[in-house]
Amino acid sequence: MTDNANSMWGGRFAAGPDAIMEAINASIGFDRRLAGQDIEGSRAHAAMLAATGIIKPSDAETIREGLLTVLSEIETGTFQFSTALEDIHMNVEARLKDLIGEPAGRLHTGRSRNDQVALDFRMWVRDQCDGAIMGIEALQKALLSQAEAGADWVMPGFTHLQTAQPVTWGHHMMAYVEMLGRDASRFSDARARMNESPLGAAALAGTSFPIDREMTAKALGFDRPAANSLDAVADRDFALEYLSASTICAMHLSRFAEELVIWSSAQFSFVVMSDRFSTGSSIMPQKKNPDAAELVRAKIGRILGATVGLFTVMKGLPLTYSKDMQEDKEQVFDAADSLMLALAAMEGMVRDMRANEGPLRIAAASGFSTATDLADWLVREAGLPFRDAHHVTGRLVAMAEKQGCDLPDLTLDQMKSAHDAITEGVFDVLGVDNSVRSRTSYGGTAPDQVRAQIKRWKERLV
């Protein structure tokens, strides 16, 4: 029965249970991405061991030089990774022993693979927070350029994807600048919380060696060492926070990507997407497909999936370390790659796209988009309660709809038939330009307000 069971696995696991165990246990296939952080952490640890007298300075120097050689081999692609050695930590240590001999065995004094992997992964995720913030700010700058170019271009604002009120192109672009600003702040907040060093927690209880955890924390750019050794090795909150922030950011990118897909269609023609971020059809020569936007729209699925996956891995684990936690990295790596690619693609699309002022203006005036301006005028100038003004405006919309025209096309007499307090002055608020110029409340769509927000963000993003 055992032979038959093993035969299910085919040639890959022909060697039997030992090969299966090696395959499920090894992580070097993906955690090799932590090589730079692993070697940086080991160099800091070796320097600390020498400074505290735990190892000889000469051994520390030999270890430092050996680690630099290992790093060079990895960066140049000459390093031979071994699945039998399980992970990046053992691969580096084994190669270090080949290079420098007996001193390599002293490097692991006062630490464990548990705090080592917690350190490496935390440093890697910290770097990803920095990268995400840079990517977000690049996209924000591209949006600012679009907003500045069209600060007073009118377009329809939508609710329920139905024309609601006129807004400006610049105002719409600035909405995404604000969203992305919150995304950047989430990555910044997460980075600040994760900036505690687990190195020196050892397996779970700390160590009896007189290590200096403040020294290694400072050398590696942390604010402080983690205060509880159990929590230090068991914690993956930093990865969960990073994934949560990534999911929200990807959701924002997906919403914008959906708008670009809609706006670039022939039915809307609000924007023209660059050929660099579009593809043609294999059968329909007239087609120009917004494939980059569609793929950005889809990235939320992978990133959200990674977030749910890691929460599921962590939810039932007792303190401290369990091998389940080896499943923390691949999904974070994939989510980070997906987010950075989505940010870069969106930044390129925004920089290259061209907004069509004409179709935007035509659409802004459609669908009785200035009806609210008419109601507001009735409140402000004729003294009607808003609910009454809303009713009068509804009657005028119905009248215009029946005649196949827009509100500004009705005559004054027709207007007065709905309410005799209406005067010629009502026509001053019915044009789309008048409408957007009137929205001067803080954060409103008036071009002066939009330019003020552009100025604020340009100063912030210098």
Side-chain angles (χ1 to χ4, degrees), residues 203-214:
L204 75 163
T207 178
S208 59
F209 291 97
I211 61 173
D212 184 347
R213 294 190 63 209
E214 294 281 356

Side-chain angles (χ1 to χ4, degrees), residues 305-422:
T307 306
V308 173
L310 185 53
F311 270 106
T312 305
V313 167
M314 296 301 298
K315 73 176 182 63
L317 298 186
L319 297 181
T320 54
Y321 182 82
S322 298
K323 196 69 170 180
D324 311 50
M325 291 164 72
Q326 183 169 292
E327 294 296 317
D328 60 358
K329 296 173 195 65
E330 282 183 283
Q331 38 209 343
V332 177
F333 293 160
D334 183 75
D337 290 345
S338 295
L339 179 65
M340 293 308 297
L341 183 57
L343 284 168
M346 185 60 80
E347 191 241 338
M349 282 187 283
V350 171
R351 285 204 179 279
D352 286 4
M353 74 181 181
R354 174 171 55 83
N356 287 329
E357 184 181 3
L360 287 169
R361 172 172 287 276
I362 292 169
S366 68
F368 308 104
S369 64
T370 57
T372 305
D373 297 278
L374 173 55
D376 288 348
W377 185 90
L378 288 167
V379 171
R380 190 172 55 249
E381 301 297 331
L384 272 66
F386 183 80
R387 286 302 170 200
D388 292 347
H390 188 282
H391 180 72
V392 171
T393 301
R395 289 176 59 193
L396 289 170
V397 166
M399 184 186 301
E401 193 170 35
K402 185 176 181 179
Q403 295 188 24
C405 66
D406 200 0
L407 287 171
D409 301 319
L410 294 174
T411 67
L412 180 59
D413 286 341
Q414 288 172 322
M415 291 272 193
K416 280 182 169 294
S417 70
H419 198 285
D420 59 11
I422 296 177

